[in-house]
Amino acid sequence: MFHKIADRFGIGIAIVALFIFLSISSPHFLDIANLLNILLQVAISTIIAVGMTFVILTSGIDLSVGPLTAFSSVIIGLTLHLDIGIGIPILSGVLVGGLLGLINGILIAKLKIPAFIATLGMMSVARGAALFITNGQTIHMFPTEFRFISAGNIMSIPIPVIYALIVVMIAIFILNYTKFGRYIYAIGGNKEAARLSGINVKFVETWAYIICGITCGIGAVILTGRLNAAQPIAGIGYELDAIAAVIIGGTSLNGGEGSIGGTLMGAILIGMLRNGLNLLNVSPFLQQIVIGAVIVSAVFFDQYRRSKKDSSAVKGLNRPAEAMGSTKSY
Amino acid sequence: MDHEVILRMQNINKAFPGVQALNDINFELRKGEVHCLLGENGAGKSTLIKIMSGAHQKDSGIVLLHGKEVDIKDAHISRDLGISTIYQEMSLIPGMSVAENIFLGEEIVKASFNIVDKEKMEKQAKEIFREMNIDINPKSLVKEMSTAQQQMIEIARSLVKKRQIIIMDEPTSSISDKDTHELFRIIRKLKSQGVAIIYISHRLQELSEIVDRITVMRDGQDIGTVNMKDVTIDQLIAMMVGRTLEKTDKPVRDHIGEVLLEVKNISWGNIVQNASFILRKGEILGFAGLVGAGRSELMRLLFGAEKMDAGRILLHGVQVEIHSPMQAIAHGIGYLSEDRKRDGLVLGMGIDQNITMANLPKVCNGFFLSRKKEELEAKNSVQALNVATNSIHKLVKFLSGGNQQKVIIGKWLLTDCQVLIFDEPTRGIDVGARAEIYKLMNGLVQLGKSIIMVSSDLPEIIRASNRVIIMNQGRIAGEFENDGTITQEGIMPLMLGGVGNVS
């Protein structure tokens, strides 16, 4: 437990520092409206980053989250226009995300295609499919109930924020208090040891991608409601934000180590950064440069911290008191 | 032998956070001697050789090479000084050829344009292998080599350039007896050329064959340096552990029961051919053979980790289908793999989580994990198996080899399996922890469990098993009841492919 807290310490400091800096440098940062806006913007990326956390914990990667979100969004848009209520469209959006995740999972776990390639392919296929079935057109005009349920406010709190919190809590629960969650970590930590311990590696891995797809579906519901539009070109750059949130949040790209709490903080940090850059009137072109640099330096510091920790692990093996204990206790 | 001192280390101290790894160590290495560093895991041997090889820096003390003080700041300096280190953990690059690995960092280049001269490297590698009397094709890829061959390549690497000191960290831990003999021949030859060799091994039996002097370390201190011919193994053990080791119990036979497991005609390519054997309840069945004889592969087939081409497995006389480790575990079979770190543990997880990994449902309430139950089970295991740790949440990567092995045993005991396959259970484990593992195995068979033990350590096989099966080139070559008359000399010919008595 203790090392987990220590791991998150760095990003906590970064969030606080950025918060203080923006409070001072921008008169509007602390406005309630602005803070709520940040939360709203962070909601979608948090939800998708949660799915991405499952995948990365198994030492995989999902590059297709953007197009998956777009495709789900398009499906929601099309079904909403069928006038069959809003329940089925919402459900089908989420399920379609899960289905595409299932395809990713089968390609990777069963057919042993490297995750990078499988999801790179899916990235193109899902985007193409979204464009194809809409003929590249945006779908507009959705029922008010749908827009309220997906992106409205309750007592001035954006509903997407509530969804994000629910997703985060469910994910924390699954990862920490279920067999499935433990298996996710075990597979990421050492796939062969997990297999030889009788864990159904293919099943668990496949489900990690399904979960990631489902979170894209949920993200799509919110996005569609917020924009009141389903765009086949939506979600560009989502994989960047999601992967960045996961990695900045301290999850190891090698898998087996990390937490949803970290991912949440990572998403908040990126959201605050984007918001702050807007408030400070930084050119959107320059923003991309800043975000990219922040991601790379976060990973750099993470690697540095890990290498320090690992070298102390090696030293740990030399501790006479510890290693000798086994024989002294005769 | 002249007594010219090549390397002298005086009052070496090295501390890591919270621990004094080396405490005023004095060490002296003479020209042309084989000098063994002996001590249990954690005694400070690795730290000391890492200071020689430049991987660690000393805090204080003096290192003299030929009487001149040197400062070994990094691995390059160490190499330039003529010190070569063969580490226990292999450091070869799998996707490169044998020759390329041997010359890694010291490639031979053509005079013009600095182009790597592949042919010349391959030719020289071939010569080195001929000298070593080993049949390895320098053009093959390292990943196609067996563990033993890789170890020999690792050794060949240190022979490329003339060295004055070669450090070998457990060179025989993964190679067969035959290769060990070759290695000893090479060591003797190097010795005659005046090379000094620092030799680390846990196999005490083999020391007398090759070692001239021994420095015993314990708790980061040097206990003393003795001539090999002046001491007995028991005396050495006493120096190492600071106490006399109790003799291990002879394998008990009176609890052996009915036939539990029958393996019939298992084949897998040409690696395992038509292997059949039985295992009785309450028995320790030893599998002897050279590295590459197909023993581990047979066990992996039995455990469902590989898919057999042909063959049947019967439990209690009933045929069972085992196509995956999951099914094997469901049938009560557990497998402690040869390579603990690669196949047995999730190093970044705690002791508790590793112990419950193969039987999580046992610590669940329905769908949900119960941390409370998990902690309880882990605590029980840690206590029963005597794992040295201050917390059950400690990450297993911080444990010594012996304690890691105990954690894996704990994992399988939690599955209530009836058949336990121990593949090289004591490799790289110090003497004290070894004795504990033998004791544990004896305790398990007394509880009615059956154990299959694969080991390349013949004395271990003879000491610990009730019955011995010998494999050679994928086939079962012989079988002995261990009635106290088995000798290494009796088993050896079968391992090497000769004809022996099948009882």
Side-chain angles (χ1 to χ4, degrees):
Chain A
M1 206 55 212
F2 185 75
H3 66 274
K4 281 187 186 162
I5 294 167
D7 280 357
R8 284 184 206 168
F9 209 54
I11 182 170
I13 291 175
I15 289 177
V16 171
L18 187 63
F19 190 88
I20 293 172
F21 171 76
L22 290 175
S23 314
I24 295 167
S25 56
S26 166
H28 301 296
F29 179 72
L30 284 179
D31 292 355
I32 296 291
N34 185 55
L35 292 178
L36 285 175
N37 187 34
I38 294 179
L39 286 180
L40 179 63
Q41 280 173 350
V42 164
I44 293 180
S45 63
T46 300
I47 290 171
I48 295 173
V50 163
M52 186 69 81
T53 308
F54 278 81
V55 168
I56 292 183
L57 278 176
T58 66
S59 73
I61 193 87
D62 190 344
L63 300 177
S64 64
V65 291
L68 248 58
T69 309
F71 188 77
S72 297
S73 172
V74 163
I75 293 294
I76 295 165
L78 289 173
T79 43
L80 277 172
H81 280 193
L82 294 177
D83 273 339
I84 46 173
I86 62 167
I88 293 175
I90 289 175
L91 199 64
S92 54
V94 174
L95 287 182
V96 159
L99 192 72
L100 294 184
L102 171 67
I103 295 173
N104 275 338
I106 290 172
L107 290 173
I108 293 157
K110 187 98 183 160
L111 303 179
K112 305 286 171 211
I113 296 170
F116 189 90
I117 298 299
T119 59
L120 191 69
M122 177 58 80
M123 183 173 165
S124 180
V125 169
R127 178 72 72 203
L131 286 162
F132 185 74
I133 57 173
T134 58
N135 207 11
Q137 302 297 310
T138 300
I139 305 163
H140 295 284
M141 307 290 281
F142 301 129
T144 344
E145 317 92 87
F146 172 75
R147 288 168 58 198
F148 172 74
I149 278 201
S150 57
N153 292 298
I154 290 179
M155 294 185 296
S156 74
I157 292 176
I159 291 178
V161 174
I162 298 170
Y163 291 153
L165 278 179
I166 293 172
V167 168
V168 163
M169 284 191 301
I170 292 175
I172 288 177
F173 183 79
I174 289 177
L175 282 178
N176 290 294
Y177 299 102
T178 68
K179 278 180 276 187
F180 177 79
R182 178 65 59 77
Y183 292 159
I184 291 265
Y185 280 102
I187 287 171
N190 186 341
K191 199 172 281 186
E192 186 62 6
R195 186 175 81 97
L196 294 179
S197 295
I199 295 171
N200 192 339
V201 172
K202 286 177 192 165
F203 176 85
V204 175
E205 241 186 334
T206 305
W207 266 97
Y209 287 92
I210 294 175
I211 288 172
C212 191
I214 288 173
T215 58
C216 291
I218 299 171
V221 172
I222 298 170
L223 185 71
T224 312
R226 226 180 79 196
L227 301 176
N228 193 18
Q231 299 171 325
I233 52 153
I236 286 175
Y238 275 22
E239 63 286 332
L240 179 86
D241 274 25
I243 295 170
V246 174
I247 299 301
I248 291 176
T251 296
S252 161
L253 259 182
N254 299 325
E257 254 180 75
S259 67
I260 295 292
T263 298
L264 176 63
M265 297 222 262
I268 289 174
L269 185 72
I270 294 173
M272 256 167 59
L273 194 61
R274 282 197 194 282
N275 176 268
L277 292 170
N278 277 332
L279 289 180
L280 298 175
N281 282 324
V282 176
S283 137
F285 306 139
L286 197 55
Q287 286 190 22
Q288 293 201 21
I289 298 175
V290 173
I291 299 275
V294 165
I295 293 169
V296 174
S297 31
V299 173
F300 169 76
F301 284 117
D302 184 57
Q303 296 282 9
Y304 178 72
R305 179 180 59 80
R306 270 175 221 282
S307 73
K308 279 196 101 170
K309 221 167 72 175
D310 271 4
S311 69
S312 70
V314 171
K315 288 164 191 168
L317 289 178
N318 284 327
R319 280 175 208 176
E322 242 167 55
M324 285 296 293
S326 64
T327 46
K328 270 184 180 158
S329 47
Y330 261 99
Chain B
M1 195 202 313
D2 54 20
H3 284 186
E4 183 193 335
V5 174
I6 294 189
L7 177 78
R8 194 188 289 279
M9 301 176 87
Q10 289 173 342
N11 307 97
I12 304 291
N13 283 291
K14 175 72 185 176
F16 294 119
V19 81
Q20 188 73 26
L22 295 178
N23 198 347
D24 251 350
I25 294 279
N26 289 298
F27 177 78
E28 153 200 297
L29 185 66
R30 293 174 187 160
K31 194 174 173 190
E33 77 166 338
V34 179
H35 194 133
C36 179
L37 276 179
L38 199 61
E40 298 198 48
N41 289 339
K45 296 169 306 201
S46 302
T47 312
L48 187 64
I49 62 170
K50 279 184 176 156
I51 286 175
M52 297 180 205
S53 66
H56 284 331
Q57 311 317 312
K58 61 186 189 311
D59 294 340
S60 67
I62 304 171
V63 179
L64 300 160
L65 197 69
H66 293 299
K68 248 176 60 193
E69 186 168 354
V70 289
D71 185 10
I72 307 175
K73 272 197 288 257
D74 57 41
H76 278 287
I77 295 178
S78 173
R79 205 163 63 181
D80 292 345
L81 289 172
I83 301 173
S84 175
T85 310
I86 301 164
Y87 285 111
Q88 197 179 344
E89 315 269 313
M90 310 248 175
S91 52
L92 301 173
I93 299 172
M96 282 169 51
S97 78
V98 171
E100 283 168 327
N101 266 286
I102 289 179
F103 289 93
L104 196 65
E106 292 168 313
E107 284 81 1
I108 303 174
V109 290
K110 292 180 181 161
S112 49
F113 300 119
N114 258 10
I115 296 168
V116 175
D117 192 340
K118 236 178 163 174
E119 277 159 36
K120 203 166 174 188
M121 282 170 23
E122 279 163 7
K123 221 178 104 203
Q124 287 200 15
K126 210 167 209 162
E127 271 163 34
I128 294 171
F129 286 132
R130 190 174 316 131
E131 198 134 302
M132 290 169 75
N133 201 9
I134 282 165
D135 183 28
I136 293 177
N137 182 357
K139 288 181 187 167
S140 326
L141 296 183
V142 161
K143 65 178 168 200
E144 294 159 2
M145 301 283 129
S146 68
T147 316
Q149 284 172 320
Q150 291 191 18
Q151 183 76 59
M152 299 314 270
I153 295 167
E154 195 73 66
I155 291 161
R157 216 171 167 181
S158 63
L159 305 179
V160 169
K161 282 230 175 112
K162 223 172 149 38
R163 315 285 187 191
Q164 38 182 341
I165 298 173
I166 297 180
I167 301 167
M168 299 185 180
D169 192 356
E170 288 213 57
T172 58
S173 67
S174 59
I175 64 178
S176 66
D177 284 0
K178 176 179 160 285
D179 289 335
T180 304
H181 284 300
E182 281 307 326
L183 175 66
F184 286 175
R185 204 180 52 76
I186 295 161
I187 290 178
R188 284 190 198 103
K189 191 165 171 197
L190 289 168
K191 225 176 103 157
S192 69
Q193 294 165 352
V195 178
I197 290 158
I198 296 172
Y199 189 89
I200 295 180
S201 175
H202 285 303
R203 294 192 181 173
L204 296 176
Q205 279 86 355
E206 70 188 22
L207 297 185
S208 58
E209 265 189 68
I210 193 79
V211 170
D212 300 309
R213 289 197 303 160
I214 297 169
T215 295
V216 179
M217 297 179 72
R218 188 170 77 221
D219 287 345
Q221 306 192 325
D222 60 317
I223 301 303
T225 299
V226 291
N227 289 321
M228 184 69 216
K229 58 179 195 294
D230 299 339
V231 290
T232 64
I233 285 179
D234 285 343
Q235 284 170 322
L236 283 176
I237 292 177
M239 282 173 82
M240 278 167 72
V241 298
R243 64 191 151 75
T244 41
L245 196 74
E246 56 195 285
K247 286 271 180 238
T248 35
D249 328 336
K250 272 273 162 209
V252 197
R253 319 186 52 87
D254 49 7
H255 42 74
I256 296 179
E258 75 281 2
V259 172
L260 176 65
L261 174 82
E262 284 172 83
V263 169
K264 290 193 170 168
N265 311 98
I266 288 189
S267 291
W268 192 50
N270 58 2
I271 296 169
V272 176
Q273 298 176 42
N274 212 18
S276 304
F277 67 91
I278 59 158
L279 176 70
R280 295 197 182 86
K281 197 170 151 67
E283 166 180 63
I284 299 180
L285 174 61
F287 264 80
L290 301 178
V291 171
R295 295 166 300 163
S296 294
E297 289 80 3
L298 176 58
M299 297 312 145
R300 287 176 65 89
L301 289 165
L302 174 55
F303 185 62
E306 314 287 351
K307 290 199 171 74
M308 59 179 94
D309 298 334
R312 294 189 298 148
I313 297 167
L314 281 74
L315 267 172
H316 297 293
V318 183
Q319 183 165 341
V320 291
E321 297 300 322
I322 296 180
H323 301 302
S324 67
M326 227 182 316
Q327 286 173 316
I329 292 165
H331 286 301
I333 301 175
Y335 174 62
L336 286 86
S337 54
E338 186 180 1
D339 189 331
R340 285 190 288 280
K341 286 182 187 167
R342 204 185 62 199
D343 302 331
L345 293 164
V346 181
L347 291 171
M349 276 189 167
I351 295 171
D352 49 347
Q353 304 196 352
N354 271 285
I355 283 179
T356 57
M357 187 163 298
N359 192 5
L360 265 190
K362 188 166 186 183
V363 294
C364 282
N365 295 322
F367 190 63
F368 307 119
L369 259 181
S370 160
R371 284 283 167 87
K372 230 176 168 174
K373 281 191 189 173
E374 178 167 54
E375 282 177 9
L376 191 73
E377 291 291 351
K379 254 185 203 135
N380 288 342
S381 294
V382 162
Q383 231 164 40
L385 299 171
N386 201 9
V387 181
T389 178
N390 45 13
S391 158
I392 56 165
H393 303 298
K394 188 174 201 163
L395 303 186
V396 292
K397 66 179 164 195
F398 295 115
L399 296 178
S400 68
N403 283 309
Q404 287 181 342
Q405 189 69 296
K406 288 184 201 168
V407 169
I408 301 178
I409 295 174
K411 171 169 88 176
W412 291 115
L413 292 186
L414 204 67
T415 64
D416 290 326
C417 48
Q418 290 310 301
V419 178
L420 277 162
I421 305 168
F422 284 71
D423 199 347
E424 302 286 358
T426 60
R427 171 179 295 175
I429 287 177
D430 63 61
V431 175
R434 257 177 201 224
E436 270 191 283
I437 286 176
Y438 297 142
K439 213 164 145 186
L440 261 169
M441 287 167 60
N442 269 327
L444 291 174
V445 288
Q446 275 165 38
L447 292 173
K449 296 191 190 298
S450 308
I451 292 176
I452 299 174
M453 180 180 71
V454 175
S455 174
S456 293
D457 188 352
L458 268 186
E460 170 170 289
I461 288 259
I462 292 172
R463 189 158 136 198
S465 35
N466 300 118
R467 192 154 54 92
V468 181
I469 286 178
I470 300 111
M471 279 187 82
N472 172 254
Q473 295 185 355
R475 295 174 189 280
I476 290 185
E479 184 179 331
F480 291 99
E481 276 303 326
N482 194 356
D483 46 13
T485 59
I486 296 194
T487 57
Q488 294 191 49
E489 289 74 19
I491 294 177
M492 251 330 202
L494 287 169
M495 286 171 56
L496 296 168
V499 196
N501 297 326
V502 178
S503 58

